[in-house]
Amino acid sequence: MTERIAIVTGAARGIGAAVARRLAADGNAVAVIDLQEAATAETVDAITAAGGRAIGIGADVSDSAAVASAVARVADELGAPTILVNNAGILRDNLLFKMTDDDWDLVMQVHLRGAFLMSRAVQAHQVEAKWGRIVNLSSTSALGNRGQANYAAAKAGMQGFTKTLAIELGRYGVTANAIAPGFIQTDMTRATAERIGVPFDEFVAATVQQIPVQRAGVPDDIAAAASYFCSEEAGFCSGQVLYVAGGPTS
Ligand code: NAP
């Protein structure tokens, strides 16, 4: 298959790391972007140890200058990027009456501004190549979730953003799709359990009772969906939101 150049943001750990490893196993060279370059080493080493090509870059996806220089570095060191997975994310959960301005702004900046800045920078290479794949991480929280007014709004926003990219970029051979995971075991869900004061095992067990397939999700469940959306054969699938949640979501 053709080697493509992929960028995965927030790929030092969790879902992003699994997506980066999977896209590399699929035959792509991968730029692993996260806040701290040092934190990307584990993912980069896993890819290179398996015979793949990867570089790690430290960049805050909500910072326009950092995004421009990160994408330029990918083009220089790996080649023009034509696959982008906007995965970087944070939580600042709180009930509406306790949610601060900063809680709201930070979540919007990382998820929405981050996906916007990265997509705008990468589409230049995709349009030039007349081929591209963009995958945005949404969430089942887009449907509404107590304590997540900021995150739910951002993740619903990711869906509208995805559909608009699909409409604008389709004529250049670029598809855009969103994955909306349900409960996935990562540091993010571990931090949620900690915040509400429940041991992680108990938190997982209680959540699993609500999931039809009777298990929690793992990062590789999301990587498998991302692999499909980024594949050659997914070229007629665009503007879709795939809920990967172990059952129906409404
Ligand atoms: P995670 O384990 O917390 O990993 C997120 C990664 O993003 C971390 O490495 C983090 O870096 C990085 N990051 C945060 N802000 C960044 C920024 N401004 N620029 C660059 N990188 C940044 O989260 P996850 O559970 O793997 O989630 C990945 C994505 O899936 C997120 O968009 C999340 O909202 C979404 N999602 C997750 C679940 C779930 O159940 N886990 C469900 C639905 C959707 P630091 O470590 O330095 O902070």
Side-chain angles (χ1 to χ4, degrees):
M1 65 162 278
T2 324
E3 185 202 54
R4 308 280 187 183
I5 313 302
I7 294 178
V8 185
T9 68
R13 55 196 172 88
I15 292 170
V19 170
R21 289 193 306 267
R22 176 63 191 259
L23 293 183
D26 289 345
N28 304 292
V30 181
V32 176
I33 295 187
D34 212 288
L35 278 174
Q36 304 298 329
E37 183 166 332
T40 65
E42 198 176 321
T43 309
V44 170
D45 290 350
I47 291 171
T48 49
R53 228 159 49 95
I55 58 169
I57 298 177
D60 177 346
V61 296
S62 66
D63 176 333
S64 192
V67 164
S69 76
V71 173
R73 210 183 128 190
V74 175
D76 278 355
E77 295 182 25
L78 288 178
T82 55
I83 295 176
L84 170 65
V85 180
N86 285 309
N87 166 84
I90 58 166
L91 293 179
R92 289 294 182 275
D93 294 355
N94 229 327
L95 292 174
L96 180 62
F97 77 101
K98 289 195 267 186
M99 189 171 284
T100 66
D101 295 12
D102 278 354
D103 290 337
W104 180 268
D105 291 344
L106 267 172
V107 166
M108 295 303 152
Q109 276 163 24
V110 176
H111 296 271
L112 286 177
R113 183 179 159 86
F116 157 64
L117 292 175
M118 287 298 309
S119 302
R120 190 180 60 182
V122 169
Q123 62 78 34
H125 296 286
Q126 296 175 320
V127 168
E128 171 89 25
K130 296 200 163 35
W131 191 94
R133 300 281 184 263
I134 297 175
V135 176
N136 295 318
L137 267 291
S138 177
S139 167
T140 49
S141 294
L143 302 167
N145 198 24
R146 186 179 164 81
Q148 292 196 316
N150 51 1
Y151 185 79
K155 290 308 200 185
M158 291 295 264
Q159 298 189 10
F161 178 64
T162 302
K163 291 175 191 194
T164 301
L165 296 186
I167 291 166
E168 290 190 13
L169 298 174
R171 70 190 60 189
Y172 304 107
V174 179
T175 66
N177 292 284
I179 300 172
F183 182 85
I184 310 295
Q185 292 188 65
T186 67
D187 290 348
M188 186 178 268
T189 40
R190 216 164 253 118
T192 300
E194 211 165 281
R195 190 179 60 80
I196 60 176
V198 178
F200 191 56
D201 289 353
E202 284 176 30
F203 186 58
V204 172
T207 307
V208 163
Q209 283 182 10
Q210 312 301 319
I211 301 175
V213 301
Q214 293 287 289
R215 70 166 175 89
V218 292
D220 283 343
D221 291 318
I222 307 308
S227 171
Y228 169 67
F229 281 138
C230 294
S231 68
E232 298 292 331
E233 65 188 349
F236 202 55
C237 178
S238 195
Q240 301 306 302
V241 179
L242 180 64
Y243 284 86
V244 181
T249 44
S250 59

